[in-house]
């Protein structure tokens, strides 16, 4: 079956794209409001944009009311955030932080979590997160202000905090990093089952 996106309603496009583009890594982003409230929210439209310089990319998809989310609001105010990697053990807390709390309520506290400060920022990460990436806002690209439109956000990575237990010979071990990914709908996946394929080489 062929789907012409120009003829589809937004709900159908969302369902097709989020089910087809999966699994997706989750950026669990903590930010700080001008009043000092710590906001925490997961974003599954997330990836690495560059290594040199180190840059992350996530997209805020606009809510149905077309307003920007607290995360982007805070980033625009002070330009900093922590991207926390979601472990399987913290999946329930991550899900709780999705709830539509008012702006003046801290999702960090509401989810029963504690903050963990990094030397580069005044905004805390999530204590217990296996990897925390201290970031500063680099650039925004507004695609659309409509509901379900989006803003692409580029973040410069200032520093990375890694749980010592996850390091082998000074490198982050994929085998030890028990993280989750987002599938379509309410589905998630783990990285507990993996397979390897060596990159092919061509003989000259």
């Amino acid at each position: 079956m062929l789907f012409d996106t120009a003829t589809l309603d937004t709900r159908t496009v969302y369902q097709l794209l989020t089910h087809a583009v999966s699994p997706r890594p989750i950026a669990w982003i903590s930010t700080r409001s001008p009043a000092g409230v710590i906001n925490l929210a997961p974003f599954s439209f997330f990836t690495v944009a560059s290594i040199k310089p180190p840059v992350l990319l996530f997209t805020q998809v606009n809510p149905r009311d077309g307003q920007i989310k607290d995360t982007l609001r805070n980033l625009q105010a002070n330009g900093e955030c922590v991207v926390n990697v979601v472990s399987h053990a913290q999946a329930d807390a991550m899900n709780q932080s999705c709830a539509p709390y008012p702006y003046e309520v801290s999702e960090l506290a509401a989810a029963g979590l504690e903050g963990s400060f990094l030397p580069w920022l005044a905004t805390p990460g999530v204590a217990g997160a296996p990897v925390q990436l201290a970031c500063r806002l680099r650039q925004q690209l507004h695609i659309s202000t409509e509901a379900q439109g989006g803003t692409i956000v580029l973040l410069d990575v200032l520093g990375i905090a890694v749980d010592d237990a996850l390091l082998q010979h000074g490198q982050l071990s994929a085998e030890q990093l028990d993280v989750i990914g987002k599938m379509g709908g309410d589905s998630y996946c783990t990285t507990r089952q993996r397979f390897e394929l060596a990159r092919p080489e061509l003989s000259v």
Side-chain angles (χ1 to χ4, degrees), residues 99-113:
Y101 293 103
Y103 183 57
E104 63 274 11
V105 173
S106 170
E107 289 87 354
L108 187 74
L113 299 163

Side-chain angles (χ1 to χ4, degrees), residues 9 13 26 37 72 126 155:
D9 60 88
V13 174
I26 302 169
V37 177
L72 188 54
V126 175
L155 302 170

Side-chain angles (χ1 to χ4, degrees), residues 81-163:
C81 69
V82 179
V83 176
N84 305 276
V85 171
V86 184
S87 68
H88 190 256
Q90 291 184 319
D92 287 338
M94 179 277 301
N95 190 50
Q96 185 62 41
S97 71
C98 290
Y101 293 103
Y103 183 57
E104 63 274 11
V105 173
S106 170
E107 289 87 354
L108 187 74
L113 299 163
E114 295 183 359
S116 174
F117 284 92
L118 303 174
W120 302 277
L121 304 176
T123 300
V126 175
V131 180
Q132 300 171 53
L133 303 106
C135 297
R136 192 167 300 282
L137 178 62
R138 179 185 182 92
Q139 187 177 350
Q140 303 171 72
L141 173 60
H142 301 288
I143 299 174
S144 170
T145 58
E146 296 183 26
Q148 299 297 296
T151 298
I152 294 173
V153 182
L154 296 177
L155 302 170
D156 287 317
V157 181
L158 306 180
I160 306 170
V162 180
D163 185 336

Side-chain angles (χ1 to χ4, degrees), residues 46-58 152-155:
F46 166 60
T47 191
V48 176
S50 172
I51 299 298
K52 189 175 183 179
V55 177
L56 301 179
L57 179 155
F58 80 94
I152 294 173
V153 182
L154 296 177
L155 302 170

Side-chain angles (χ1 to χ4, degrees), residues 26-54:
I26 302 169
W28 201 14
I29 302 179
S30 50
T31 56
R32 176 176 46 86
S33 77
V37 177
I38 304 305
N39 171 260
L40 182 64
F43 293 82
S44 65
F45 294 1
F46 166 60
T47 191
V48 176
S50 172
I51 299 298
K52 189 175 183 179

Side-chain angles (χ1 to χ4, degrees), residues 41-82:
F43 293 82
S44 65
F45 294 1
F46 166 60
T47 191
V48 176
S50 172
I51 299 298
K52 189 175 183 179
V55 177
L56 301 179
L57 179 155
F58 80 94
T59 301
Q60 179 216 255
V61 175
N62 299 332
R64 291 183 178 87
D65 60 9
Q67 300 298 310
I68 67 172
K69 295 182 179 179
D70 295 346
T71 298
L72 188 54
R73 182 177 174 183
N74 291 343
L75 265 173
Q76 291 172 346
N78 59 42
E80 65 176 45
C81 69
V82 179

